[in-house]
Short mmCIF file of all heavy atoms in Angstrom, two decimals:
data_model
loop_
_atom_site.label_atom_id
_atom_site.label_comp_id
_atom_site.label_asym_id
_atom_site.label_seq_id
_atom_site.Cartn_x
_atom_site.Cartn_y
_atom_site.Cartn_z
N MET A 333 29.60 10.23 -4.42
CA MET A 333 30.96 9.93 -4.03
C MET A 333 31.60 8.96 -5.02
O MET A 333 30.91 8.19 -5.68
CB MET A 333 30.98 9.31 -2.62
CG MET A 333 30.55 10.27 -1.52
SD MET A 333 30.62 9.54 0.13
CE MET A 333 29.16 8.49 0.11
N ALA A 429 50.89 -2.65 12.92
CA ALA A 429 51.08 -1.47 12.08
C ALA A 429 49.76 -0.76 11.82
O ALA A 429 49.68 0.48 11.87
CB ALA A 429 51.72 -1.89 10.75
N ALA A 546 34.80 23.23 32.12
CA ALA A 546 34.10 24.18 32.97
C ALA A 546 33.41 25.30 32.19
O ALA A 546 32.26 25.64 32.47
CB ALA A 546 35.08 24.78 33.99
#
Side-chain angles (χ1 to χ4, degrees):
M333 294 182 284

